[in-house]
Amino acid sequence: MENVTIRMLAERLQLSTATISKALSNSHEISEETKQRVLALAAELNYVPNPYASSLRKKSSHTIAVVIPEVADSFFAEAINGIESVAQEKGYHVLIYLTHESFAKEEAILKDFQSGRVDGVLISVTTETSAAAHGLTQLVKEIPVVFFDRVCEEVTAARITTDDANAAYNATTHLIAGGCRNIGLLSASRQLSISNRRAEGFRQALADHQLPLTPASILYCSNDPAATQQLLQTALQQNHYDGLIATTEKLATAVYLACEELSLAIPGDVQVIGFSNLSTARFLQPSLTTVSQPAFDMGHAAATVLFKALKSSSFPLQEQQQVIPSSLIIRNSTKSGL
Amino acid sequence: MENVTIRMLAERLQLSTATISKALSNSHEISEETKQRVLALAAELNYVPNPYASSLRKKSSHTIAVVIPEVADSFFAEAINGIESVAQEKGYHVLIYLTHESFAKEEAILKDFQSGRVDGVLISVTTETSAAAHGLTQLVKEIPVVFFDRVCEEVTAARITTDDANAAYNATTHLIAGGCRNIGLLSASRQLSISNRRAEGFRQALADHQLPLTPASILYCSNDPAATQQLLQTALQQNHYDGLIATTEKLATAVYLACEELSLAIPGDVQVIGFSNLSTARFLQPSLTTVSQPAFDMGHAAATVLFKALKSSSFPLQEQQQVIPSSLIIRNSTKSGL
DNA sequence: TTTATTTACTTAACCGATTAAGTAACACGG
DNA sequence: CCGTGTTACTTAATCGGTTAAGTAAATAAA
């Protein structure tokens, strides 16, 4: 059985395809009676419009893209959840692209969007993405783009972030209050703005408490788990940190693993804070003190802002800057201040 | 600046659009010299073909859909990872749809696929999906469909699953060996085939060890976390289980929470096994004995099979049935057999 | 009664790429 | 020298909706 098209409906009802199209879109040009007949036949024949024909003509795809480094991370998974909830409500489709932290992949993906495949893009950039992100610069000129969490500061676009500097400041202060004097910050990137913001908050907190910032204070980890593990173990042995802040979920788990390997007690030998949305954080051994990011809300907010721009081209999308606060949830991997 | 089209290239080079199209697809009908000129201009003008024009004409979208209950679950997140790795390699695009365990939503999503929006579908059905899944029955007649993990047994289609019955049998046996005599199975659905398979393995193990199967042996939990929590606590108080098997990741966490609330020691009072892919399982308090599913591999396998069908219509997709083994990883939430 | 307007359509162009069918120019075998 | 291929294109139809522009008939206004 062939696919049912508007032309078939037209022939059966002895009407023009234009009439069918207008009837289906509830145009005022069509009589109530005709609309009913069209709708009835469409339902009977199980007519489903071809989205690509429509997209081609209307130059809009009713589809958005989500570009993220990875999906097996509870932050991104929850963010997708938030995005999808809005998209589903608006009847939009969601294309997912994973960059696996590769800038080259990201550029290739973004280039494809110049084809009109998607009406808008929600993106959290890779750890490698830098100012010279040509694809991004180009993209924001062509379609609505919203950054969430990992923004590219050099590019003017809407941004949904958390209070990274603040969160890091508070986390650091919490460790200091718990007695730490030699704190290490595990960072995922040198160029990522959220990494730098977190480092900034960290530095500020150290400074405010007259603690020194040494080259060993900030550890830049790569995207390779094995290398990170190696780096971590070496650093832990050399520097005898008494506090660690893991700025990504993967790094938090890596710290637990490294401490296990080196038989370091948490929080006895090292206190640990993780930026994470792990639902299991409270059941970890020891339960993990976390900077918990509003992942779902950020995804939701990002999508909401994007759809406002899609609805009205006069919406000042590029000016949208929302900072959604994260919260420090204190558990047993850190010692409460005395 | 307008979007660059094939027609613009044609005008600039004083060629027909047909020539451009063929040159771009490296047709033998076009001279090498012309191909070079076309490619050069395309690169210069940054030409990106309109995917929807192409899809409309070719009746293929180079897009697949992934339909899953949720994304904030490490099994599904990893499965997406596996799927995406194959899709990216093949140059396909991935649309994500979340059903949130709602059968109605699932049906609506599947109906849309009759439009030709996607070339193929990878699906893990909802806990509500039953034999009367009209949308599914219809869909498999129209485009290639591959079930992964949660299959709908009444529908004839390719299936990528784990050895659910076996895994549950082994998990149960492990608990019995550890001294459990009153084991509860926490199930997510009455109709889901994987749930039933797991229940089957569970029952078989009980029978093989002369342990009774009571109405309290299998606990059917809903999709509502609060209700599940309530149910769990009540059941734990009434039945004094000495062993529990949580057949989903969410249920495993729920058990930990309930035990904490009721001050039940794991594994002292209750031993616990979870079906889960949590990377943090080994760091939980106590570390969680898991039936670890090959989530990435299942996604990878499902996508691989789907693409074989997309490449060759003679590929016997519906006969594809792969069972990828899961593994029981014994940790401290259960007692090893003496 | 005549003109203007509204209603309910139809016609045909269009979105941008693909492709079946056609063609002109040239080469080559017999 | 003719017929048959081959090469390298072009023409035009097509995919399935959408929409600007047109039209005939009915209704309202002048």
Side-chain angles (χ1 to χ4, degrees), chain B residues 130-142:
Chain B
S130 67
H134 178 66
L136 272 170
T137 316
Q138 194 58 36
L139 194 64
V140 294
K141 291 183 203 155
E142 311 197 339

Side-chain angles (χ1 to χ4, degrees), chain B:
Chain B
M1 194 178 68
E2 298 281 303
N3 255 334
V4 184
T5 66
I6 245 180
R7 165 177 281 120
M8 291 166 72
L9 299 182
E11 278 165 12
R12 291 257 201 144
L13 294 176
Q14 297 286 42
L15 290 168
S16 72
T17 60
T19 302
I20 307 294
S21 175
K22 288 173 183 170
L24 291 172
S25 59
N26 200 23
S27 160
H28 66 94
E29 291 179 44
I30 307 299
S31 73
E32 210 47 54
E33 192 211 324
T34 304
K35 280 182 192 170
Q36 292 311 321
R37 290 206 303 144
V38 172
L39 255 36
L41 186 66
E44 186 196 328
L45 300 186
N46 196 28
Y47 166 73
V48 185
N50 183 315
Y52 298 138
S54 165
S55 292
L56 178 58
R57 181 66 226 253
K58 298 209 286 190
K59 288 174 174 286
S60 98
S61 60
H62 246 235
T63 303
I64 62 172
V66 176
V67 183
I68 51 177
E70 52 176 333
V71 66
D73 173 294
S74 55
F75 173 81
F76 290 116
E78 275 298 347
I80 291 177
N81 231 336
I83 292 166
E84 203 268 352
S85 70
V86 184
Q88 192 159 97
E89 185 204 321
K90 305 275 182 190
Y92 270 67
H93 300 261
V94 180
L95 281 166
I96 290 272
Y97 296 89
L98 305 181
T99 57
H100 298 288
E101 305 286 12
S102 153
F103 177 55
K105 230 172 234 175
E106 187 176 79
E107 288 280 289
I109 291 163
L110 298 185
K111 166 150 193 195
D112 174 72
F113 295 161
Q114 308 206 340
S115 66
R117 185 184 298 279
V118 295
D119 296 344
V121 176
L122 296 168
I123 183 171
S124 219
V125 302
T126 78
T127 48
E128 298 177 343
T129 306
S130 67
H134 178 66
L136 272 170
T137 316
Q138 194 58 36
L139 194 64
V140 294
K141 291 183 203 155
E142 311 197 339
I143 55 174
V145 174
V146 177
F147 289 111
F148 67 98
D149 197 47
R150 297 183 177 191
V151 311
C152 184
E153 290 196 319
E154 293 79 8
V155 177
T156 309
R159 292 175 193 162
I160 310 292
T161 53
T162 42
D163 52 347
D164 291 295
N166 236 323
Y169 185 94
N170 292 339
T172 311
T173 305
H174 173 65
L175 285 177
I176 295 171
C180 296
R181 292 296 172 266
N182 181 21
I183 305 173
L185 182 83
L186 307 184
S187 175
S189 167
R190 290 195 136 80
Q191 39 240 311
L192 212 51
S193 82
I194 58 165
S195 297
N196 292 332
R197 295 278 192 89
R198 288 171 189 177
E200 206 177 281
F202 171 67
R203 270 192 291 261
Q204 189 61 51
L206 290 188
D208 287 358
H209 294 85
Q210 284 83 42
L211 288 176
L213 180 84
T214 71
S217 295
I218 302 184
L219 243 70
Y220 290 99
C221 305
S222 78
N223 187 38
D224 173 37
T228 295
Q229 211 52 51
Q230 191 54 54
L231 179 73
L232 253 182
Q233 290 199 20
T234 311
L236 275 169
Q237 286 175 306
Q238 286 181 346
N239 302 309
H240 303 290
Y241 298 108
D242 53 11
L244 282 177
I245 300 176
T247 59
T248 69
E249 189 166 297
K250 289 248 186 317
L251 287 173
T253 330
V255 167
Y256 270 57
L257 187 58
C259 287
E260 190 177 284
E261 295 282 323
L262 300 175
S263 303
L264 291 172
I266 305 175
D269 297 321
V270 201
Q271 298 184 46
V272 179
I273 295 183
F275 278 68
S276 167
N277 286 71
L278 281 170
S279 60
T280 53
R282 59 175 298 186
F283 301 118
L284 293 182
Q285 165 68 310
S287 60
L288 176 64
T289 294
T290 56
V291 173
S292 173
Q293 291 160 285
F296 183 92
D297 294 339
M298 288 174 73
H300 192 92
T304 301
V305 160
L306 179 65
F307 282 117
K308 278 188 187 162
L310 291 180
K311 194 173 221 176
S312 147
S313 55
S314 66
F315 182 76
L317 182 64
Q318 304 206 336
E319 295 164 24
Q320 303 299 311
Q321 312 267 338
Q322 281 183 52
V323 178
I324 305 182
S326 55
S327 51
L328 181 66
I329 301 177
I330 297 170
R331 298 204 186 88
N332 297 325
S333 63
T334 55
K335 300 175 187 167
S336 284
L338 312 179

